[in-house]
Amino acid sequence: QVRLVESGGGLVQAGGSLRLSCAATTGTFSTYDVGWYRQAPGKEREFVASISWSDLTTYADSVKGRFTISRSNAANTVALQMNSLKPEDTAIYYCNQIGTGYWGQGTQVTVSS
């Protein structure tokens, strides 16, 4: 059983920054692609960014140039650095071990205008 735990969410003003972290209990985390997704109230969950096992990154158009995904295989974590935050970035952010169905519990990000 794999457990993913997100942290780092909070309340920030527009233009500010937050750094989210996804920590995995499995030692094989580094061999999987990992994605960050978000779900705003009343909306469906949407893709934010992903990083492959070989460090190839992909971003949603809405966050390109503002968010950066990275991983530390030594620490078994994947981070999402979020800069220039906007009120429309407000959502619960989830990490996912792609292809396995494992999701974290989510961390709330609220951006005030």
Side-chain angles (χ1 to χ4, degrees):
Q1 186 75 13
V2 175
R3 185 164 175 247
L4 304 178
V5 180
E6 300 97 337
S7 62
L11 173 64
V12 65
Q13 288 189 330
S17 299
L18 284 173
R19 184 176 179 86
L20 306 184
S21 180
C22 173
T25 60
T26 176
T28 61
F29 200 43
S30 63
T31 66
Y32 287 93
D33 297 355
V34 175
W36 281 97
Y37 296 76
R38 66 188 181 187
Q39 187 165 18
K43 295 187 176 181
E44 294 194 352
R45 192 172 296 188
E46 65 175 6
F47 169 78
V48 175
S50 66
I51 186 165
S52 74
W53 62 270
S54 59
D55 287 345
L56 293 176
T57 58
T58 306
Y59 297 92
D61 288 343
S62 58
V63 306
K64 275 181 185 175
R66 300 188 298 122
F67 291 11
T68 303
I69 189 170
S70 61
R71 68 191 311 159
S72 168
N73 291 334
N76 239 18
T77 58
V78 170
L80 184 69
Q81 177 67 40
M82 305 187 296
N83 299 327
S84 302
L85 282 161
K86 304 174 181 180
E88 51 263 43
D89 295 317
T90 295
I92 300 174
Y93 284 70
Y94 301 89
C95 69
N96 169 237
Q97 186 171 284
I98 295 171
T100 65
Y102 290 114
W103 292 82
Q105 82 291 346
T107 185
Q108 176 70 50
V109 171
T110 303
V111 184
S112 63
S113 57

